[in-house]
């Protein structure tokens, strides 16, 4: 018997996951999306995998451009995570008007300055995985590293800090 989609989502919601912002700079604009399906794959070479909707615009742009940045969001970035998870969002730069950011040197993609960490990446390949694709990314630089920044987590459908308290409310 197939697993019920709601039950499956509720089950995986029990797993606390870090929240990241994947950004791509193409010739026209900056594209970004919130992702929580991220995993370390290899240290040599440094690889991470990111889950993206297969039919989504961010996956399409990433495949075309071939480079991106992945910013691990801090607890105060809960509003950023919400903005970038909404459908029909405008340019990434417009969603970050009040957030300090810079560009990663290799990809030119946006990275948040006050994040715990940001990775500048090159796309190795996309792997089909149901209604998603796994983007296998080679890490080429670490333009932001702030180990003291509190991480943003997604747990039970909410953005929380490392204590489990709702994040971004202060």
């Amino acid at each position: 018997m197939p697993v019920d989609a709601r039950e499956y989502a509720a089950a995986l919601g029990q797993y606390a996951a870090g929240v990241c912002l994947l950004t791509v700079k193409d010739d026209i604009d900056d594209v970004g999306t919130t992702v929580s399906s991220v995993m370390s794959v290899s240290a040599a070479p440094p690889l991470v995998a990111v889950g993206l909707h297969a039919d989504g615009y961010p996956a399409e742009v990433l495949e075309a451009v071939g480079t991106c940045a992945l910013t691990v969001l801090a607890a105060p970035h809960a509003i950023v995570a919400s903005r970038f998870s909404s459908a029909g969002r405008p340019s990434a730069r417009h969603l970050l008007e009040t957030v300090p950011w810079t560009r990663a040197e290799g990809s030119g993609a946006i990275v948040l300055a006050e994040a715990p960490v940001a990775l500048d990446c090159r796309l190795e390949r996309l792997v089909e995985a149901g209604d998603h694709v796994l983007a296998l990314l080679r890490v080429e630089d670490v333009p932001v590293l702030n180990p003291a920044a509190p991480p943003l987590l997604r747990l039970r459908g909410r953005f929380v800090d490392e204590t489990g308290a709702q994040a971004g409310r202060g």
Side-chain angles (χ1 to χ4, degrees):
M1 176 181 343
V3 174
D4 178 74
R6 288 179 304 219
E7 184 177 36
Y8 175 72
L12 291 184
Q14 302 305 306
Y15 176 71
V19 182
C20 298
L21 175 63
L22 182 129
T23 55
V24 179
K25 171 143 182 59
D26 70 5
D27 292 335
I28 301 168
D29 206 353
D30 292 283
V31 174
T33 189
T34 301
V35 293
S36 57
S37 298
V38 177
M39 65 180 264
S40 171
V41 175
S42 170
L47 298 171
V48 295
V50 177
L52 298 169
H53 287 281
D55 59 355
Y57 188 61
E60 178 184 329
V61 173
L62 175 58
E63 185 174 28
V65 173
T67 59
C68 67
L70 188 64
T71 300
V72 176
L73 298 179
H77 293 139
I79 190 71
V80 171
S82 292
R83 287 175 184 164
F84 279 92
S85 63
S86 301
R89 54 196 171 271
S91 166
R93 287 169 294 161
H94 297 297
L95 295 175
L96 296 171
E97 290 182 272
T98 61
V99 179
W101 59 269
T102 187
R103 293 199 180 272
E105 190 173 318
S107 66
I110 291 172
V111 294
L112 304 191
E114 297 171 355
V117 67
L119 307 173
D120 197 12
C121 303
R122 178 164 304 284
L123 179 65
E124 288 282 312
R125 68 179 165 273
L126 292 177
V127 179
E128 291 183 25
D131 60 357
H132 278 61
V133 292
L134 293 178
L136 189 60
L137 306 172
R138 180 183 292 258
V139 178
E140 298 192 330
D141 192 17
V142 181
V144 175
L145 184 59
N146 298 316
L152 178 64
L153 303 172
R154 182 148 178 89
L155 177 63
R156 298 183 182 118
R158 296 176 18 161
F159 294 120
V160 299
D161 65 19
E162 71 274 17
T163 70
Q166 188 170 356
R169 308 278 187 235

